[in-house]
Amino acid sequence: MARSKPTRAERPSRAVFPAPDHDHERCSHDAMAIAEAVCLERGQRLTAMRRKVLDELLASHKPLGAYEIIDRLALRGARPAPITAYRALEFLRENGLVHRIESRNAFVACVHNHLAGELVVFMICEHCGAVGEAASADLAETLSSAAKAAGFAPKSPVIEISGVCTHCRSR
Ligand SMILES: [Zn+2]
Ligand SMILES: [Zn+2]
Ligand SMILES: [Zn+2]
């Protein structure tokens, strides 16, 4: 099978907070290509609704609530039933294409192509609302040994930190 999915080695590491003038078109295009490859690999279908929901989330690096997504979809066509949008979000989440930001009750598209179950650190900017996604092998190691000591089996370790992003700080 032709490998269309870029591996991590082939992808330059992304800035946690992409510069305001970064090539976001490319960013979202790459993320959609990865989503297609992931679905193909797993024999899943990226249905029209799943694609539309992901597309709205890929419009920026800012999280959107489920109803914001529905409102945006309604501007482009028929307003989807909430359950339809939720199901699409659930699918995207299960496949690691979208993350839920618990503290904001919102969702953000993953543009990092990491493994499912990998520790994710979300840094949420209080000024511009951007969400940066960082990975830390050291932190993952520390957490996993803490969990092990507690006899706890972590499923999807996520850390959310509020603060001010590098671009807002330099403003
Ligand atoms: Zn971008
Ligand atoms: Zn991610
Ligand atoms: Zn910011």
Side-chain angles (χ1 to χ4, degrees), residues 25-46:
E25 189 133 348
R26 190 165 165 201
C27 216
S28 59
H29 180 269
D30 284 359
M32 189 56 87
I34 286 171
E36 282 162 2
V38 164
C39 289
L40 194 69
E41 225 175 67
R42 299 183 185 162
Q44 302 273 25
R45 282 200 331 127
L46 194 59

Side-chain angles (χ1 to χ4, degrees), residues 30-75:
D30 284 359
M32 189 56 87
I34 286 171
E36 282 162 2
V38 164
C39 289
L40 194 69
E41 225 175 67
R42 299 183 185 162
Q44 302 273 25
R45 282 200 331 127
L46 194 59
T47 60
M49 182 52 64
R50 292 167 178 173
R51 182 184 294 270
K52 279 189 210 167
V53 167
L54 183 58
D55 212 44
E56 292 301 335
L57 285 170
L58 282 173
S60 79
H61 294 282
K62 292 172 188 168
L64 292 176
Y67 277 88
E68 284 177 283
I69 296 170
I70 292 170
D71 287 345
R72 286 174 191 225
L73 290 174
L75 294 176

Side-chain angles (χ1 to χ4, degrees), residues 117-129:
E118 195 168 294
L119 171 73
V120 180
V121 181
F122 293 117
M123 300 176 197
I124 305 158
C125 179
E126 290 168 351
H127 284 240
C128 68

Side-chain angles (χ1 to χ4, degrees), residues 96-99 109-114 120 122 133:
L97 303 170
V98 156
H99 296 297
C110 177
V111 292
H112 290 272
N113 189 28
H114 53 82
V120 180
F122 293 117
E133 191 181 328

